[in-house]
Amino acid sequence: GTAGYAASPRLVEYIVSLTNNLSRKLNQVLPDAYHLATEEQTNKLAVCLGDGSYYDKHIDNLGGSSDAGDQRKLTALIYLQPPNSHDGQPPYPNEKVEDDPRGGYFRAYDVPEVGDVTCIAPRGDRLVVFWSDSLVHDVSPSFAPSEDDKRFALTTWLVADKKTGEIKGTDLEVSARHFDSGENSIGKG
């Protein structure tokens, strides 16, 4: 509404400041090839309304192969719904999509081992961070019976430093295992 709209520019400033500082802190501990730009990132707010909406299996950034030279390196996803959303599930890492009719789960493939699928419930205040250029993932269909069960996810992509950061190309074995006979999946994130 109108009242929330007035606060939006301040929220954007806060996110930019937070992600710039996060990049600086991470660069202190990461090897050069993983260095992140400190003045550039991109954000997206995704809302799954519970009508079966989902995200297909993909890698956010397939080796910077887009015409624009996609430099997304690290994805940070925070769920914004109420903290008690998706209660009743066992604690991570024992969460199971099939045990929860609400869906909307983040599913990471080949984690922790090849062939494994790790499911993460979209609980409010939960932060999920992963390498944008290597993690195969999807979001299971979302069926929200109430407002509290809708999936609100703010995604921030930290990008590789243009001088030292590198974007990993997609491994052919990973591509063959997950994307139709080795064809690349478009980064949908």
Side-chain angles (χ1 to χ4, degrees):
T2 307
Y5 183 78
S8 295
R10 299 299 301 173
L11 179 59
V12 169
E13 288 175 25
Y14 172 76
I15 292 168
V16 168
S17 175
L18 180 68
T19 54
N20 286 346
N21 286 315
L22 179 60
S23 295
R24 285 186 185 90
K25 291 289 185 187
L26 288 171
N27 286 345
Q28 292 173 3
V29 297
L30 292 171
D32 284 352
Y34 291 90
H35 273 197
L36 304 165
T38 57
E39 301 298 325
E40 184 180 354
Q41 69 276 322
T42 186
N43 305 292
K44 174 179 80 170
L45 176 62
V47 180
C48 292
L49 299 177
D51 55 359
S53 54
Y54 64 94
Y55 285 94
D56 286 329
K57 189 188 292 188
H58 66 281
I59 296 173
D60 285 353
N61 181 0
L62 286 171
S65 60
S66 74
D67 292 338
D70 192 344
Q71 288 296 107
R72 293 178 294 171
K73 183 65 180 176
L74 189 71
T75 301
L77 166 73
I78 188 164
Y79 294 107
L80 302 175
Q81 56 269 25
N84 62 345
S85 61
H86 277 70
D87 276 353
Q89 279 287 297
Y92 173 84
N94 299 311
E95 298 166 328
K96 302 287 181 213
V97 173
E98 57 272 8
D99 295 340
D100 188 346
R102 296 168 290 190
Y105 280 63
F106 179 93
R107 296 184 293 201
Y109 293 85
D110 296 340
V111 176
E113 302 290 333
V114 171
D116 290 345
V117 178
T118 297
C119 299
I120 302 172
R123 290 186 179 147
D125 291 342
R126 180 171 269 178
L127 176 68
V128 179
V129 179
F130 57 93
W131 295 115
S132 309
D133 59 355
S134 59
L135 184 72
V136 178
H137 62 285
D138 69 10
V139 175
S140 69
S142 175
F143 301 98
S146 72
E147 279 294 310
D148 288 350
D149 292 317
K150 290 181 179 177
R151 181 182 181 274
F152 295 87
L154 176 63
T155 303
T156 298
W157 288 281
L158 304 178
V159 301
D161 181 270
K162 287 182 172 48
K163 293 180 184 173
T164 60
E166 297 174 7
I167 299 299
K168 179 180 172 183
T170 303
D171 182 271
L172 291 177
E173 185 178 310
V174 169
S175 189
R177 192 167 49 253
H178 294 288
F179 307 118
D180 299 329
S181 304
E183 293 177 15
N184 286 339
S185 171
I186 297 171
K188 296 182 180 183

